[in-house]
C-alpha cells in the first residue's frame, strides 16, 4: 500500500521560503510510471495544482506560481520536496503531496494526509 | 489554462436519493477527467478516472459519464457516508485544474 507523508514547518513568515518534504513508502519515486505532485487548498476553498516532478528530475509547474516554485526529488531517501519563495498570507493552505499516473490514464490516486502551512509574522 | 466549472456548488439531499453533479470544461479534454470525494479535514479520494472508470474499492453506486467538455458524476442511492464535497479535475493539459467543488449536504 503506497503511503505519502508531508513534513515541514507549520508556520512561515511573510517573504520567507516555505519548504515541505514528502516521504513515500510502499512505492518508489524512481518509478517511471508516476509523477510526484504538490497540490494545495486554502482554508475553506478549492484545490490548486502546484506542480510535479518525474523521477528523471523533469518538472512541470503551474504558471501562476512558476516564478516562486521549485520541486526536487531525492531518490536515495525516496522523497520529493517543495520550495515556495516569497510567501504571503495568500499562500496559507493545506499542502498535499500526491501521486499521479504518468500515462495520463488514471488520475491522482494516492494523496498524503496534508499539512497546514500558515504564513504569518 | 482550462477552466473547470461544476454545478451546483452545493445542494441538500436525503439518504437514498439519486444525485447528479455536472462538470464542464472550457475546452475539450477528451476523457481525461477525474472525480474526487473530500470529507472535512481529509485528503481528496479518487473515485473515478478516465471520466467513467471506477477506482478500485469505490462502491458501484458511483458512476461517471461524459467526454469532450461535459461530464457528470452520479450517485445512484445516496448513503450517509457520501455527504462530502466532490471535485472534478482535468488531466488533459497543464496546468492541471480542478472544479470549484460541489458540497452535498444532508436535507
Amino acid at each position: 500500500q503506497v503511503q505519502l507523508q508531508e513534513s515541514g514547518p507549520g508556520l512561515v513568515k511573510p517573504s520567507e521560503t516555505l519548504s515541505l518534504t514528502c516521504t513515500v513508502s510502499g512505492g518508489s519515486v524512481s518509478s517511471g510510471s508516476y509523477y510526484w505532485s504538490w497540490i494545495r487548498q486554502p482554508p475553506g476553498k478549492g484545490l490548486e495544482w502546484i506542480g510535479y516532478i518525474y523521477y528523471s528530475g523533469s518538472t512541470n509547474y503551474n504558471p501562476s506560481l512558476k516564478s516562486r516554485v521549485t520541486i526536487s526529488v531525492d531518490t536515495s531517501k525516496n522523497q520529493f520536496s517543495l520550495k515556495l519563495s516569497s510567501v504571503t498570507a495568500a499562500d496559507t493552505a493545506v499542502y498535499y503531496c500526491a501521486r499521479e499516473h504518468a500515462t495520463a490514464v488514471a488520475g491522482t490516486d494516492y494523496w498524503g494526509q496534508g499539512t497546514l502551512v500558515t504564513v504569518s509574522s | 489554462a482550462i477552466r473547470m466549472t461544476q454545478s451546483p456548488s452545493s445542494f441538500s439531499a436525503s439518504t437514498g436519493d439519486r444525485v447528479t453533479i455536472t462538470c464542464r470544461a472550457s475546452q475539450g479534454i477528451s476523457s481525461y477527467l477525474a472525480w474526487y470525494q473530500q470529507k472535512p479535514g481529509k485528503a481528496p479520494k479518487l473515485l473515478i478516472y478516465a471520466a467513467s472508470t471506477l477506482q478500485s474499492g469505490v462502491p458501484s453506486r458511483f458512476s461517471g459519464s461524459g467526454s469532450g467538455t461535459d461530464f457528470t458524476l452520479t450517485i445512484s442511492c445516496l448513503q450517509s457516508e457520501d455527504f462530502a464535497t466532490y471535485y472534478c479535475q482535468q488531466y488533459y493539459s497543464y496546468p492541471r485544474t480542478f472544479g470549484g467543488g460541489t458540497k452535498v449536504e444532508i436535507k
Side-chain angles (χ1 to χ4, degrees):
Chain A
Q1 176 77 344
V2 176
Q3 292 186 316
L4 296 89
Q5 178 68 58
E6 305 89 352
S7 59
L11 181 65
V12 181
K13 290 182 168 58
S15 80
E16 295 189 344
T17 296
L18 177 160
S19 296
L20 296 174
T21 296
C22 183
T23 301
V24 179
S25 58
S28 173
V29 297
S30 298
S31 169
S33 297
Y34 307 105
Y35 299 134
W36 303 96
S37 304
W38 288 96
I39 295 159
R40 70 180 183 177
Q41 184 173 36
K45 296 188 177 181
L47 298 160
E48 180 180 32
W49 181 82
I50 299 172
Y52 76 69
I53 190 163
Y54 194 46
Y55 80 103
S56 62
S58 65
T59 55
N60 197 312
Y61 300 141
N62 193 322
S64 68
L65 299 168
K66 188 173 184 177
S67 63
R68 300 193 291 130
V69 171
T70 302
I71 299 176
S72 58
V73 64
D74 186 337
T75 55
S76 67
K77 295 182 179 179
N78 215 30
Q79 295 175 334
F80 61 106
S81 298
L82 169 71
K83 291 188 185 297
L84 182 66
S85 64
S86 305
V87 297
T88 69
D91 295 309
T92 293
V94 175
Y95 285 76
Y96 296 101
C97 59
R99 185 185 87 166
E100 178 183 336
H101 285 252
T103 55
V105 170
T108 302
D109 59 352
Y110 284 97
W111 298 63
Q113 64 184 24
T115 187
L116 174 63
V117 179
T118 301
V119 179
S120 175
S121 55
Chain B
I2 297 175
R3 181 175 177 86
M4 307 300 293
T5 303
Q6 283 182 239
S7 60
S9 57
S10 67
F11 66 95
S12 299
S14 301
T15 303
D17 285 352
R18 178 183 180 90
V19 302
T20 298
I21 298 168
T22 297
C23 178
R24 175 165 289 177
S26 61
Q27 65 188 76
I29 59 170
S30 186
S31 295
Y32 294 101
L33 184 104
W35 288 98
Y36 302 87
Q37 176 193 66
Q38 187 179 35
K39 296 182 178 179
K42 300 295 186 182
K45 172 187 174 184
L46 178 64
L47 298 176
I48 287 169
Y49 61 90
S52 61
T53 303
L54 206 62
Q55 173 71 349
S56 177
V58 173
S60 60
R61 63 181 180 272
F62 291 92
S63 63
S65 65
S67 67
T69 59
D70 294 314
F71 302 87
T72 59
L73 171 70
T74 299
I75 309 172
S76 61
C77 183
L78 200 64
Q79 301 298 301
S80 58
E81 60 266 33
D82 301 335
F83 291 97
T85 300
Y86 294 85
Y87 293 94
C88 61
Q89 181 210 22
Q90 65 81 18
Y91 51 99
Y92 176 79
S93 69
Y94 297 101
R96 306 308 198 207
T97 46
F98 293 86
T102 296
K103 186 174 183 179
V104 180
E105 299 176 296
I106 300 173
K107 184 180 288 184

